[in-house]
Amino acid sequence: MTINTKIYFPNLNGLRFIAAFMVIIHHLEQILTFFGLENYWDNPIILIIGGLGLELFFVLSGFLISYLLFTEEKNTSTISIKDFYIRRVLRIWPLYYFIGILAFFILPQFNLFDIPYISKHLTENFSLSLLLFVFFLPNLLLYGYGIIVPYASQSWSVGVEEQFYIIWPFLIKYFKNKLLTLFLVIFIYLFIQSIVFPFLKHFIFWNQELEMFRQVWTNFHIQCMAIGGVFAWIYFTKHKYLKFLCNNLVYITTLLLTFIVIIFSINLPFLNNEVHALLFGIIILNLVSSKTKGLFLENSIFNFLGKISYGIYMYHIIAIVLCIKLFWYFNILEYHLLLAVSSLSLTIILAAVSYQFIEKRFISLKSKYSNVISGENAK
């Protein structure tokens, strides 16, 4: 296959790490509650920050995947769906299933990794949990059945991403009006969420299966990925709105609004996730347009942390529990900041080792199935 294009977006590795860091802080306080230890879980900022981190991940994913598909179609007049799936398999599956092996078969054998009230979820629902995990339905497991699998439940968002990948190349390839298609996805999601479910619930009938579907649909977040795709289309086509959205005043205002949302834990009664996605989309658009707007994001440290951010996300529960147990043993749990720093540090170490010895060799194979080289392979 002839390689026509190499694409590397500045600042986005740093942004990936920030998103992962937000999730780690959220989960650290949540896990402390499981152990009955002093925590800040009831702090509104802690409650909101994890979800915002994941929304940022989803918008980033929608932006990057859509832009790469737009570019491939431009270069080759088509999109190889088979090659797209192979690339996603090489990037996602090795670590996903490695975490699954740890969570289902290895870690439960050691008392060190027992989490009060949570570990029993796996023993009581082992077969169902394993089946849904294997077939990339951890979001159905968590939000449909309410089953928390220690050390693997964070993979629910990976399941959402995989389900997004199943349909996305078809939409981009076979629908010629890309922008209309993206808006149609957003509209369909919101229509089902805001019109269909309330109508069924209040006027016709409702049952447990529909409630399960509603929970899974609410946390599907495909509309956030589609919003990321809209910003990718704006950047790819160099649309007239690009200059306006990348204006310094718009960028600074968006940053301030985002900080206000976090600091004051603002949850809008309607279109909450969508507003967050719009803010993140504008930030991403500005960061890929200019290295200088990222300030400290485009450097070797943040590039490395962003490069291993998938591992950081997948391993951080293991690191947090190990650090809590260690601090508990030495009776130093009152040093909360040190616990947070230690958890983050151990997470980075685990993710770096994983990247070097598990993920890297698979990532390098992606180039064989890519018309457009991106990310670290492009750099």
Side-chain angles (χ1 to χ4, degrees), residues 106-117:
I106 297 178
L107 299 183
Q109 307 306 317
F110 300 93
N111 290 332
L112 176 64
F113 293 99
D114 183 70
I115 303 176
Y117 312 109

Side-chain angles (χ1 to χ4, degrees), residues 78-132:
T78 188
I79 292 172
S80 174
I81 294 176
K82 182 191 74 172
D83 287 348
F84 174 85
Y85 287 156
I86 292 174
R87 293 194 300 271
R88 292 297 88 204
V89 166
L90 289 170
R91 184 64 189 102
I92 302 298
W93 287 27
L95 181 54
Y96 177 86
Y97 283 116
F98 180 69
I99 288 291
I101 291 170
L102 290 177
F104 282 89
F105 300 105
I106 297 178
L107 299 183
Q109 307 306 317
F110 300 93
N111 290 332
L112 176 64
F113 293 99
D114 183 70
I115 303 176
Y117 312 109
I118 301 300
S119 292
K120 66 178 182 180
H121 279 229
L122 179 59
T123 56
E124 293 174 355
N125 306 278
F126 186 87
S127 297
L128 175 63
S129 300
L130 181 60
L131 180 67
L132 293 180

